[in-house]
Amino acid sequence: MRRLILPALAAIACASAAHADDPKPRPVFTEDGTVKVPAFELPPSAFLSPEALAQQKARARMGLPIMDSSRGEMSAVEARKALARYLQPQVDRYLKMFAVDVSETTIAGVPARIVAPKGGKADPKRVLINLHGGAFSTCWESCSLIESVPIAGTGNFRVISVNYRMGPEARHPAGLEDVEKVYRDLLKRYKPSQIGVFGCSAGGALTAQLGAWLPKRGLPQPAALGIFGAGGLRFGAGDSAWIASAIDGSFAGPAKPGEKAIDMTKGYFDGADMGDDVLSPALHPAVIAKFPPSLVITGTRAMDMTPAIFTNSKLLEAGVRSTLIVGEGMGHCYIYSEDLPEAKAAWQVIVRHFRENLK
């Protein structure tokens, strides 16, 4: 045994000496637990699809990202128009890819959009509610279609996308109130076991909030939730908020002391307790234990990875059936990218999740 230990100690000593002479910067750990991370180059993941790798390479010549925190400095009207212009080509591609009908409607006084397979092929016994992304302040025009069209077209679902109230015109819980109205109306024609709810980014967060909100309102849970690009926690907290700001660039990291944080929600959560049991249900075991089966999707380079992973862990701890997809090398709401095999694979899992859980 001594003959085995001594060579091992010698090897460790040699490695330590080599590191001491190595000019490569290394992490510095401080007494309060902070890690000072040196600058480094992050190559694309070896596990990316060829299409995803091409997309990573294209970042060198890309313009405005799909979601850009600089919009926090625009007015809501400017941000909505800018994002709609930027995303319109993508919306057009989706409408060519999938044979769907899109119609505008109002449900219980709330503006909504119905996306369904052409020719009345939608599953008559299942319906999905979509809560679009857009930082609680924008993207109704585009994100509602980018999220709903592939799921309606791939899974033959009737998808109702809700144009819930946002900032700066409204404050929390206005969005939840609007979704509740639509949900109550659907309960007149569908059983709770026939209804699913999903969304990405702000819509994913709102979906998680709805899981906490409905029991408080005396309403049954839907059959399943899809929490994508988000979690049952506030954004901007945890490791991924810091890491994603450095390697993705679409979102600013948490504000440092003395800095003014950009509020992309345009004041939607002003005055709200972001740690309460509706806005952060993952922090409240008794609340998240009431959730229906959930599918959570994030990416290793997404600012929402911490909320997503933490929420999935708490769902499992509470005995709730939960499935987590973490897209390797993927950023925020990568399921928006119709040309990525990773996104198409996620669509198939989303469809299967709702088919298996909606009866």
Side-chain angles (χ1 to χ4, degrees), residues 29 38 92 114 130 142 175 194 292 298 322 325:
F29 299 88
D92 293 340
I114 299 176
N130 166 250
S142 309
Q194 297 174 316
T298 187
S322 181
I325 296 177

Side-chain angles (χ1 to χ4, degrees), residues 128-143:
L128 300 181
I129 297 174
N130 166 250
L131 308 180
H132 69 88
F136 291 96
S137 63
T138 188
C139 210
W140 155 250
E141 298 86 350
S142 309
C143 291

